[in-house]
């Protein structure tokens, strides 16, 4: 099965998050997901199958903590509440979302419960935040 065919096949994983966002989150199509990935995730090398290689990248913050409070604090220091964010999951079967940073902060706990790995791309700031369950987060500037 190709990535495009499998993309978004498990929307139930984010159903509660979408309901909580009250229509203010947009589920991205496969093409939209790939377009945002091309300017963010795809500019990093990888370590293993799902971790980004942060060597040679300007790392802004990192922490071993993996919870909603830590994500809220991080977002508050890196972006405006009205900035566009794209949330990618560690599984392409779960469709990516576009929503304002303020909504990501409000629903941070729900976001982190959806998958064991996710990435939040702050579109205007050019910053990517990586979360790996059990390992915490890393935030840094996307390489050009």
């Amino acid at each position: 099965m190709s990535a495009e065919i499998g993309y978004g096949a498990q929307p139930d994983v984010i159903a509660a998050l979408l309901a909580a966002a009250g229509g203010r989150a947009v589920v991205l199509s496969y093409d939209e997901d790939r377009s945002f990935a091309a300017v963010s995730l795809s500019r990093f090398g990888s370590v293993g199958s799902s971790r980004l290689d942060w060597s040679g990248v300007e790392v802004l913050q990192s922490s071993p903590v993996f919870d909603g409070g830590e994500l809220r604090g991080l977002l508050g220091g890196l972006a405006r509440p009205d900035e566009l964010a794209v949330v990618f999951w560690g599984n392409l079967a779960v469709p990516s979302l576009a929503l304002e940073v303020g909504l990501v902060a409000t629903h941070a706990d729900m976001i982190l419960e959806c998958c064991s790995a996710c990435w939040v791309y702050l579109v205007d700031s050019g910053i990517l935040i990586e979360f790996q369950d059990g390992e915490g987060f890393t935030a840094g500037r996307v390489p050009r």
Side-chain angles (χ1 to χ4, degrees):
M1 176 166 39
S2 76
E4 185 171 3
I5 292 170
Y7 175 79
Q10 296 177 1
D12 53 305
V13 173
I14 59 170
L17 174 59
L18 289 171
R24 297 184 297 161
V26 175
V27 176
L28 299 181
S29 69
Y30 177 79
D31 289 336
E32 291 166 330
D33 170 89
R34 295 296 78 201
S35 291
F36 278 112
V39 296
S40 60
L41 290 172
S42 297
R43 293 198 176 171
F44 289 82
S46 65
V47 175
S49 63
S50 67
R51 283 190 233 152
L52 300 180
D53 182 358
W54 290 90
S55 59
V57 175
E58 181 185 359
V59 173
L60 301 171
Q61 285 185 276
S62 62
S63 170
V65 178
F66 186 85
D67 66 22
E70 193 76 9
L71 177 55
R72 278 186 289 282
L74 178 63
L75 291 169
L78 295 175
R80 300 179 326 275
D82 64 340
E83 182 172 347
L84 180 64
V86 174
V87 180
F88 301 96
W89 313 103
N91 181 349
L92 277 176
V94 181
S96 298
L97 297 176
L99 62 168
E100 290 184 344
V101 166
L103 282 172
V104 175
T106 297
H107 302 295
D109 293 308
M110 291 181 80
I111 288 171
L112 298 180
E113 290 170 5
C114 289
C115 289
S116 61
C118 69
W119 297 266
V120 178
Y121 173 49
L122 307 175
V123 175
D124 294 338
S125 301
I127 295 171
L128 187 70
I129 304 166
E130 177 178 43
F131 287 87
Q132 297 283 338
D133 192 10
E135 296 183 29
F137 73 83
T138 303
R141 300 217 182 271
V142 175
R144 297 205 181 261

